[in-house]
Amino acid sequence: IVETILERMIRYQQIVGGHFPYSTIEQKSCIMPLKDNPKLDALMGIIETIPKDKKAIIWARFVPEILMIAAALESIGESYVTYRGGMADDERERAQRTFMEDDGPRFWVASQQASARGVELASASIHLYYSNSFSYDDRKQSSMRTSSSHQKSKSILYVDIVMNHKIDKQIVTALQRKEDIAEYVIGEIKRGQT
């Protein structure tokens, strides 16, 4: 039952993030971007408030979200690099090196699974969580990417973009409790609330 609930939560998370997952007879898995995306609008509103001399990391769980965010940044003339699964090692190294340069791109758009470990991003002082994985460890590791001796900023800002939908609220609640989503769901089942 937990696996079924987690599958449903993934689908809801994709929809809340701006993409409708579906399948056809020909293809098992398809994704359609939604016309209206309040979550992306909220992200872009936050981006407008970031001083031009600050760099930010935008964490997104799904590749279509990463690509959508990159396109939105490009549409307003912002510089960025993407970092996701499937990239060659030299592409990953180049992305990190470029982002860390003082005059490098302002935004790092990535999934926690791809760059939450072993990647130093101390040139950034802001973390924007567009969407989270279901793992507390991914969240903890991603938040540590700006913690190093090379960090120039005295404070780091962490922002979760949470839509008024049960899925976003449950994920953030579980992460605040330092729980993986599976643990949270099992707890909710035991309490009879899911």
Side-chain angles (χ1 to χ4, degrees):
I1 189 164
V2 173
E3 290 172 8
T4 304
I5 292 171
L6 291 176
E7 271 183 43
R8 191 172 347 125
M9 291 176 81
I10 289 169
R11 299 301 164 249
Y12 289 153
Q13 191 180 24
Q14 288 173 308
I15 293 167
V16 169
H19 292 87
F20 183 77
Y22 67 98
S23 55
T24 65
I25 295 171
E26 297 84 25
Q27 289 183 291
K28 285 188 174 184
S29 179
C30 301
I31 302 260
M32 178 178 63
L34 300 175
K35 286 182 184 178
D36 295 323
N37 189 342
K39 194 168 194 174
L40 182 62
D41 294 343
L43 172 67
M44 298 310 287
I46 293 167
I47 285 169
E48 289 176 9
T49 68
I50 297 174
K52 295 293 183 192
D53 64 335
K54 300 287 184 192
K55 290 189 177 197
I57 303 166
I58 303 172
W59 298 106
R61 180 173 185 182
F62 305 104
V63 171
E65 290 176 342
I66 292 169
L67 299 175
M68 175 188 63
I69 292 166
L73 289 170
E74 195 166 310
S75 75
I76 61 169
E78 286 290 357
S79 57
Y80 66 90
V81 292
T82 60
Y83 195 97
R84 60 188 189 282
M87 292 174 69
D89 289 343
D90 62 327
E91 288 178 291
R92 288 174 182 250
E93 290 171 19
R94 186 171 43 252
Q96 183 179 1
R97 187 175 55 252
T98 303
F99 183 73
M100 288 295 290
E101 294 170 357
D102 287 340
D103 61 347
R106 286 187 62 215
F107 295 94
W108 176 272
V109 186
S111 72
Q112 293 168 314
Q113 297 86 346
S115 63
R117 289 169 182 75
V119 177
E120 183 181 317
L121 302 171
S123 63
S125 59
I126 301 166
H127 291 257
L128 302 173
Y129 288 87
Y130 184 82
S131 57
N132 288 280
S133 77
F134 288 173
S135 166
Y136 171 70
D137 189 55
D138 283 350
R139 175 58 181 249
K140 183 174 83 173
Q141 291 295 323
S142 67
S143 69
M144 294 169 58
R145 294 310 92 214
T146 50
S147 301
S148 83
S149 59
H150 298 105
Q151 180 53 256
K152 295 174 186 168
S153 182
K154 292 184 173 143
S155 62
I156 307 295
L157 176 65
Y158 299 90
V159 178
D160 278 288
I161 300 170
V162 181
M163 299 308 293
N164 188 19
H165 187 279
K166 187 176 182 178
I167 186 62
D168 266 5
K169 292 175 183 179
Q170 285 178 323
I171 292 168
V172 171
T173 298
L175 295 173
Q176 287 171 342
R177 292 180 183 173
K178 300 181 180 181
E179 294 178 324
D180 288 338
I181 293 301
E183 294 168 2
Y184 177 81
V185 167
I186 290 168
E188 293 294 294
I189 291 170
K190 287 179 182 174
R191 288 187 286 277
Q193 297 178 0
T194 297

